[in-house]
Amino acid sequence: MIDSTEHCVVYCTCPEGDGAVALATALVEQKLAACVNLVPGIHSIYRWQGAVERATEVLLIIKTRRDRLEALAQGIRALHPYQVPEILALPVTAGFVPYLQWLNESV
């Protein structure tokens, strides 16, 4: 394990369906992400336009480098069906050296 300040994990929720797979695939194909995990069956409760909403969504867990964040966010916004998609970047503070090297080579 080594300290890392150049990598991050990004959370993004999407509606259930093929759109989440298409978005994840595009992010990897465009080298904006090294890997995207799709976690189905997320039950979200949120406030939107003054009302409490409920939805079943897919959580995308996106691995990338910090220097690719803006391009990643642009890619998500261009392809995402939501008016305001969730794009939350969390810093990676440490990681397994071979994994981080693979991540660097993949984006």
Side-chain angles (χ1 to χ4, degrees), residues 1 8-9 11 16-17 20-21 26 31-32 39 41-42 53 64 91 94 102 104:
M1 299 286 284
C8 57
V9 174
Y11 284 179
E16 285 191 320
V21 173
K31 294 191 169 190
L32 299 172
V39 183
I42 301 296
E53 303 285 341
T64 193
W102 166 80
N104 285 336

Side-chain angles (χ1 to χ4, degrees), residues 72-96:
L72 174 74
Q74 288 176 6
I76 291 171
R77 289 192 312 266
L79 299 170
H80 204 287
Y82 292 168
Q83 182 180 355
V84 182
E86 173 185 13
I87 305 172
L88 295 176
L90 305 165
V92 172
T93 58
F96 182 53

Side-chain angles (χ1 to χ4, degrees), residues 3 21 63 70 78 98-99:
D3 291 342
V21 173
K63 275 73 87 182
E70 186 55 40
Y99 184 86

Side-chain angles (χ1 to χ4, degrees), residues 4 12-13 21-22 24 37-39 43 48-49 68 78 81 92 103 107:
S4 171
C12 178
T13 50
V21 173
N37 303 113
L38 284 79
V39 183
H43 299 283
W48 179 247
Q49 297 180 340
R68 300 296 284 154
V92 172
L103 195 159
V107 293

Side-chain angles (χ1 to χ4, degrees), residues 8-57:
C8 57
V9 174
V10 177
Y11 284 179
C12 178
T13 50
C14 294
E16 285 191 320
D18 295 336
V21 173
L23 175 58
T25 301
L27 296 176
V28 173
E29 286 177 345
Q30 295 172 22
K31 294 191 169 190
L32 299 172
C35 174
V36 180
N37 303 113
L38 284 79
V39 183
I42 301 296
H43 299 283
S44 299
I45 301 169
Y46 56 94
R47 183 171 301 281
W48 179 247
Q49 297 180 340
V52 175
E53 303 285 341
R54 290 175 174 75
T56 302
E57 298 177 299

